[in-house]
Amino acid sequence: MKKRIVSMMLAALCCMGMLTGCVTSADSAADTSAAAEGGQAAAEKEEASAGLDENTLNIYTALEDEQVAGYLEDFKTKYPDVTINITRDSTGIITAKLLAEKDNPQADVVWGLSAANLLVLDGEGMLEPYAPEGVDRILPEFKDASETPKWVGIDAWETAFLVNKEVLASHGVTEIPEGYEDLLKPEYKGLIAMSNPVSSGTGTLTVNGILTLYGEEKGWEYLDKLHENVAVYMHSGSAPAKSTATGEYGIGVSFGYRCIKSAAEMGDNGVVVFPKEGSGWDVEANCLIKHAEGQKEIAKKFLDWAIEDGQMEKYAENYPIVATGTGDEIPEGYEQNPVDQLIKNVDLKWCAENRDRILTEWTNRYDGKSEAK
């Protein structure tokens, strides 16, 4: 079933083709000169990389803490002598850290970061092309289309709401919101927690989804109205769901995996909603970070491992849309037609190109309700 669902994505999400770059060729003389220079650079790079510490691997990730721990068990078994240093934070913070370290990169690989944000890093020349072993199994929608891809996806994630029925009832509210428009109803004023798009990839994909769904002008008008009902903007994608689960808020605008996990802890009191108008979405993806001294072989082995069949099956336990079509069942709690539920014409390339402008506009309008950092 998963294979059929994921294979529909190219048609259903045709804008993903906008993520790919173009390859152009110069005249033969230029090619010959470039080849000679490239050969010299490769030799220098190989010499510099000979001294790299292959027993230490620095990984930057925005995956959930419990996912990181579970996923890594297999890699640690296969490479027991490798010391793994994990830097884990929300998408926006990890992206900002990578950009700040551009001239002195600390990460060897990025694992499970928004593809839209990897496109931002690529625009800064920070990604080293690498084709992991088995990359031919990855569907075209989930990877850079260059001959040697700069990034490779593992799964997709999407906007969802978690509703705490007890909190709503304590405010005299019994109606469960079904979509974005419902969140504007006056009875929800002050009861909504939402992710801050400046620091959270979930917040970013939700805002981008709304701007795509309504168009920019009406999208900002919608967000102005929603702002009146929002109590706080939180600095991670999971925080609104977690805080809603503990009774701090009535509705947490978060993402599917976290809403489902938190609802399971709440029993009948927790309700997961995938907005009827469609969810904003993005692809979690991996890449090799460019270093002047060259790339560690252990970093390449990690990226090979990260898309193995066994790992894809692990991702498929948590997400309904993965990069290969492995797995036969939709994880419990998700929509049974998850691709159909997504907003269809989200353009991640546009999102990357307009990221700074959108985040600046959002900050100017709404940052007054952001939680303290």
Side-chain angles (χ1 to χ4, degrees):
M1 184 178 187
K2 182 81 57 72
K3 289 186 178 181
R4 293 199 303 272
I5 289 171
V6 179
S7 66
M8 292 164 55
M9 289 191 68
L10 185 57
L13 306 175
C14 60
C15 61
M16 288 288 286
M18 298 293 290
L19 297 178
T20 62
C22 298
V23 179
T24 58
S25 59
D27 57 55
S28 57
D31 288 345
T32 302
S33 174
E37 292 175 1
Q40 181 180 355
E44 292 172 353
K45 193 171 186 179
E46 183 176 354
E47 182 179 352
S49 64
L52 294 175
D53 181 4
E54 293 290 345
N55 290 319
T56 301
L57 181 61
N58 299 317
I59 302 172
Y60 282 24
T61 183
L63 296 171
E64 294 292 286
D65 286 321
E66 69 272 18
Q67 292 176 346
V68 171
Y71 293 159
L72 276 179
E73 289 177 1
D74 180 67
F75 186 81
K76 289 179 178 180
T77 299
K78 292 178 177 178
Y79 300 94
D81 296 329
V82 176
T83 298
I84 300 173
N85 299 318
I86 295 288
T87 298
R88 190 271 158 198
D89 216 314
S90 59
T91 298
I93 293 173
I94 288 292
T95 303
K97 184 172 177 61
L98 286 161
L99 289 168
E101 295 171 354
K102 174 184 175 182
D103 295 330
N104 184 29
Q106 302 300 303
D108 297 314
V109 298
V110 175
W111 179 35
L113 190 70
S114 151
N117 284 44
L118 290 186
L119 287 168
V120 173
L121 301 181
D122 186 30
E124 296 294 324
M126 297 172 61
L127 307 190
E128 180 74 17
Y130 177 66
E133 184 176 343
V135 73
D136 55 306
R137 297 160 30 259
I138 303 299
L139 296 173
E141 309 93 290
F142 282 89
K143 59 188 175 185
D144 174 36
S146 302
E147 183 175 355
T148 303
K150 294 179 180 178
W151 59 268
V152 177
I154 55 177
D155 57 53
W157 91 109
E158 69 295 284
T159 303
F161 312 156
L162 179 63
V163 178
N164 188 315
K165 293 193 294 185
E166 288 184 359
V167 171
L168 292 188
S170 71
H171 289 79
V173 180
T174 58
E175 183 179 358
I176 304 297
E178 296 182 1
Y180 301 114
E181 287 297 321
D182 289 342
L183 297 182
L184 303 184
K185 294 181 178 179
E187 55 262 40
Y188 297 132
K189 186 177 180 64
L191 296 177
I192 300 173
M194 184 174 174
S195 300
N196 183 323
V198 177
S199 52
S200 162
T202 299
T204 303
L205 67 83
T206 297
V207 168
N208 287 337
I210 287 168
L211 296 179
T212 299
L213 184 69
Y214 291 94
E216 275 208 69
E217 182 177 352
K218 293 189 179 298
W220 287 114
E221 291 175 4
Y222 169 85
L223 290 169
D224 286 343
K225 295 174 184 176
L226 178 62
H227 180 67
E228 296 301 312
N229 281 359
V230 169
V232 63
Y233 299 103
M234 310 187 83
H235 292 297
S236 83
S238 58
K242 291 179 177 179
S243 296
T244 297
T246 60
E248 295 180 56
Y249 304 101
I251 302 168
V253 181
S254 184
F255 64 102
Y257 169 84
R258 179 47 58 194
C259 287
I260 291 168
K261 285 287 186 181
S262 294
E265 301 167 0
M266 300 169 65
D268 293 338
N269 183 42
V271 178
V272 179
V273 176
F274 291 91
K276 63 183 180 182
E277 301 95 337
S279 289
W281 58 273
D282 203 336
V283 171
E284 290 187 315
N286 311 331
C287 73
L288 195 61
I289 293 296
K290 184 176 293 184
H291 286 257
E293 66 272 24
Q295 318 307 313
K296 295 179 182 179
E297 288 304 310
I298 190 61
K300 297 176 182 178
K301 290 177 180 178
F302 178 86
L303 293 178
D304 296 343
W305 166 86
I307 63 167
E308 288 178 356
D309 287 342
Q311 283 308 113
M312 284 297 163
E313 290 169 3
K314 287 286 188 182
Y315 304 142
E317 292 175 4
N318 296 321
Y319 296 101
I321 304 171
V322 294
T324 60
T326 57
D328 297 319
E329 300 296 332
I330 300 299
E332 185 176 352
Y334 284 98
E335 296 285 316
Q336 289 305 298
N337 295 300
V339 172
D340 292 343
Q341 198 276 325
L342 303 180
I343 296 172
K344 297 301 183 292
N345 54 338
V346 172
D347 181 347
L348 298 188
K349 183 173 183 290
W350 181 90
C351 295
E353 291 173 346
N354 291 275
R355 175 178 178 269
D356 289 346
R357 177 178 66 82
I358 290 171
L359 295 183
T360 298
E361 182 69 20
W362 187 94
T363 299
N364 290 338
R365 290 174 182 249
Y366 314 125
D367 197 43
K369 287 187 179 180
S370 292
E371 65 178 351
K373 295 183 179 178

